[in-house]
Amino acid sequence: MIATWIRKLLPALSMCFAAMSASAWPTQPVTLVVPYTPGTGIDIVARQLAARLPAALGQPVTVENLAGASGNIGSEKVARAKPDGHTLLVQVNTLVMNKSLFKTLSYDPVADFEPITLTSWGTLLLVANPNVQPAATVSDVVGAAKAKPGQLTYATPGVGTPHHLAMALLLQRTGTDMLHVPYKGTAGAVTDLLGGRIDFMFLPMHVALPQIQAGKLKAIAAGSPKRLSQLPDVPTLAEAKVPDNVDLWYGVLAPKGTPADIVNRINQEIGKILKHPEVAQAFASQGMVPETSTPGEFGALIARDAQRWAEVVKKGNITAE
């Protein structure tokens, strides 16, 4: 009878211990590592969280920007951090792209993290200089590229960036070819696109929208699953018979081995924050839409995305090194 009583008691004891573990966390300040410079979209996400998490956690929350190596410096720091929930990574989907782009990483961008939650989605728009003819639709672009293989140009902020892989995916899916012109950052690429020295580019919605509204760029397709409220007349890639989207996801991760109860607690607290209207407004300024997920859902998304971009990188023979 004693053994039966103990067996019945064990599940309750396990739940108690898990609750005690989560309630004891955090015991010190929490650091949100952003592997990019201040002012970027992912930095905006981190600072919105850092401003509101202390009220729920009872500890200070700071943002540490560790830019460099396409996000690998900051990401590696978190991968090597103690898995106790006090050092977290705020990242964009370049994390999974880097797994295929870099051949000599000292950490695994996918296996070395515990997914916590999505925070938001951002949209990339396929845009063209208005003088490119014909370029009103994706079909126009595909037809022009097939008529002049390798002669039309597209710009990116650099090799292996989301902008680059988005275009590589589009060209692979449509069997077309264009000349890739990589820049060191977005500003120079946009300047040449506006000046007519470049034909096409994928740009984040918040960067492209003012130029589209001013008539300086032509919107061809949205990389999102659904049409954008800001540009309701612009079709999605899927509507243009390209069976994919190239949205950017943003999310929070912890070092591998972080206890599940701590991961779930962080997930719940971030989920509450993402419901704030002020947060949605701050995200909108960067072309992002808040969205939460369970840790499992985020993990499944990461796995799917890692496979998809690995295929694009391999087929395009793309390397960031």
Side-chain angles (χ1 to χ4, degrees), residues 51 53 67 104 113 126 149 170 214 233 245 298 301 306:
L53 278 172
T104 58
F113 296 99
L126 177 62
L170 174 61
D233 295 330
N245 68 75
F298 189 26
L301 170 62

Side-chain angles (χ1 to χ4, degrees), residues 27-269:
T27 58
Q28 62 191 58
V30 175
T31 300
L32 302 179
V33 175
V34 175
Y36 305 99
T37 56
T40 54
I42 198 63
D43 183 65
I44 299 298
V45 170
R47 293 186 186 278
Q48 288 296 316
L49 298 180
R52 292 170 171 80
L53 278 172
L57 303 182
Q59 288 283 354
V61 179
T62 60
V63 176
E64 181 180 4
N65 294 91
L66 283 176
S70 298
N72 285 316
I73 294 175
S75 297
E76 182 177 6
K77 176 178 178 176
V78 178
R80 299 287 174 253
K82 187 176 180 180
D84 58 5
H86 293 102
T87 304
L88 306 175
L89 178 66
V90 188
Q91 250 287 25
V92 67
N93 61 349
T94 51
L95 179 72
V96 297
M97 294 174 176
N98 286 349
K99 182 175 175 63
S100 300
L101 288 166
F102 291 85
K103 308 305 180 186
T104 58
L105 291 177
S106 59
Y107 77 105
D108 190 313
V110 175
D112 287 345
F113 296 99
E114 297 286 354
I116 295 177
T117 185
L118 272 174
T119 60
S120 49
W121 287 95
T123 293
L124 288 174
L125 283 167
L126 177 62
V127 297
N129 181 281
N131 294 324
V132 177
Q133 299 295 335
T137 66
V138 171
S139 295
D140 290 339
V141 175
V142 171
K146 287 186 175 180
K148 298 183 289 185
Q151 295 183 44
L152 296 175
T153 58
Y154 73 95
T156 70
V159 174
T161 57
H163 317 60
H164 180 199
L165 295 193
M167 185 62 84
L169 182 147
L170 174 61
L171 296 178
Q172 290 175 18
R173 296 288 193 268
T174 57
T176 52
D177 182 35
M178 293 186 194
L179 177 63
H180 177 207
V181 184
Y183 288 73
K184 293 183 178 179
T186 303
V190 172
T191 297
D192 281 356
L193 179 66
L194 293 172
R197 290 174 289 277
I198 293 293
D199 298 319
F200 301 100
M201 188 173 184
F202 268 104
L203 278 175
M205 195 267 289
H206 72 285
V207 176
L209 187 60
Q211 306 296 344
I212 293 168
Q213 293 172 332
K216 296 180 179 179
L217 287 179
K218 184 189 303 183
I220 299 171
S224 51
K226 299 179 181 179
R227 292 197 182 198
L228 303 170
S229 59
Q230 300 93 331
L231 296 167
D233 295 330
V234 177
T236 65
L237 289 176
E239 289 178 291
K241 309 303 180 184
V242 179
D244 222 323
N245 68 75
V246 293
D247 268 11
L248 308 173
W249 56 252
Y250 300 78
V252 181
L253 307 98
K256 191 69 175 180
T258 301
D261 53 309
I262 294 178
V263 167
N264 290 330
R265 169 86 187 282
I266 302 170
N267 176 283
Q268 292 166 9
E269 299 300 345

